[in-house]
Amino acid sequence: AQKVTQAQTEISVVEKEDVTLDCVYETRDTTYYLFWYKQPPSGELVFLIRRNSFDEQNEISGRYSWNFQKSTSSFNFTITASQVVDSAVYFCALSEETGANNLFFGTGTRLTVIP
Amino acid sequence: ETGVTQSPTHLIKTRGQQVTLRCSSQSGHNTVSWYQQALGQGPQFIFQYYREEENGRGNFPPRFSGLQFPNYSSELNVNALELDDSALYLCASSWRPGYNSPLHFGNGTRLTVT
């Protein structure tokens, strides 16, 4: 069965600090996708990144970076030099190859960046 | 490019009533998925519609039903509302079904059942 665990419920950092959000997943499929979404107070889920199970290269996009390690079933997300606008709930999600592209979400990590 | 729009934004209903939520998909997208997000939880997949047919369903009872129209807009209907149905309902569209087609979400409809 598929499962996504985000053990950090809430994190607070001071502006300009780096922060890493953890994500651990479980799946029996060999082909799957992992995602990160950001949910600001407005409620909309904003797509940040998609990574397929065959691509373990880390990715950097501006202040955001992602570390995918199949050996530990983890897909962690780091924000460098955090800003107040980064305050939101962040969700990690898993989508398997079979069936509709339904996403299995973790319970989210609420990040608060203090000015 | 028009994004995913949902209506209404907020809704209050009484237990036992029925509700209809609406979603307009992003331009060029023919697939619509619905998710339920309870307070403090991650979204849970309800079902997906592709070309006006249900294309997959999560672990939700039959009183949760949907429709997709020829213009790819969609409705979520919930009958016999229960208190636990109080949640944010998110609609997402994608350009096709499949696990590698990113979902684009709307702002959601917040449903409160009293």
Side-chain angles (χ1 to χ4, degrees):
Chain A
Q2 58 286 116
K3 187 178 179 181
V4 175
T5 302
Q6 295 180 256
Q8 304 151 308
T9 305
E10 295 190 31
I11 299 177
S12 292
V13 298
V14 176
E15 199 171 20
K16 298 184 182 176
E17 287 185 343
D18 299 347
V19 58
T20 296
L21 309 182
D22 297 334
C23 173
V24 174
Y25 63 92
E26 295 178 27
T27 177
R28 293 179 181 175
D29 280 14
T30 55
T31 304
Y32 52 88
Y33 271 90
L34 295 165
F35 300 78
W36 276 94
Y37 280 86
K38 173 182 180 180
Q39 188 173 44
S42 60
E44 177 185 3
L45 282 166
V46 178
F47 168 78
L48 296 178
I49 190 172
R50 176 188 64 187
R51 171 68 68 214
N52 76 54
S53 52
F54 298 107
D55 183 2
E56 290 193 67
Q57 277 193 332
N58 292 330
E59 181 159 339
I60 298 174
S61 176
R63 297 185 297 107
Y64 295 169
S65 62
W66 290 269
N67 185 331
F68 177 31
Q69 293 194 348
K70 286 180 76 170
S71 60
T72 56
S73 297
S74 66
F75 185 45
N76 297 337
F77 172 33
T78 297
I79 302 175
T80 303
S82 59
Q83 300 176 0
V84 173
V85 293
D86 296 327
S87 297
V89 181
Y90 291 85
F91 290 97
C92 179
L94 165 74
S95 182
E96 296 174 326
E97 183 180 27
T98 54
N101 57 329
N102 47 306
L103 296 176
F104 297 95
F105 284 86
T107 51
T109 297
R110 179 176 298 279
L111 173 65
T112 301
V113 180
I114 304 166
Chain B
E1 184 179 83
T2 305
V4 177
T5 58
Q6 293 186 243
S7 63
T9 307
H10 294 84
L11 202 53
I12 300 175
K13 289 286 190 178
T14 303
R15 188 171 50 182
Q17 286 186 317
Q18 177 265 343
V19 68
T20 297
L21 311 182
R22 295 179 174 82
C23 172
S24 293
S25 59
Q26 184 167 315
S27 176
H29 289 183
N30 60 19
T31 304
V32 174
S33 303
W34 285 91
Y35 285 77
Q36 180 196 66
Q37 186 179 13
L39 196 62
Q41 300 296 316
Q44 287 195 319
F45 176 69
I46 303 175
F47 43 55
Q48 180 183 83
Y49 277 81
Y50 170 60
R51 293 183 176 177
E52 303 177 56
E53 297 285 334
E54 188 177 288
N55 187 48
R57 188 179 184 93
N59 189 26
F60 280 81
R63 59 188 186 85
F64 285 78
S65 63
L67 283 173
Q68 187 180 31
F69 301 99
N71 66 354
Y72 304 129
S73 65
S74 177
E75 286 182 356
L76 164 65
N77 298 291
V78 186
N79 293 323
L81 283 167
E82 301 177 359
L83 296 179
D84 284 349
D85 295 334
S86 295
L88 179 67
Y89 287 85
L90 293 162
C91 171
S93 71
S94 54
W95 63 278
R96 63 179 179 89
Y99 70 120
N100 59 355
S101 182
L103 299 181
H104 297 262
F105 285 84
N107 286 347
T109 294
R110 186 162 298 283
L111 172 65
T112 301
V113 182
T114 61

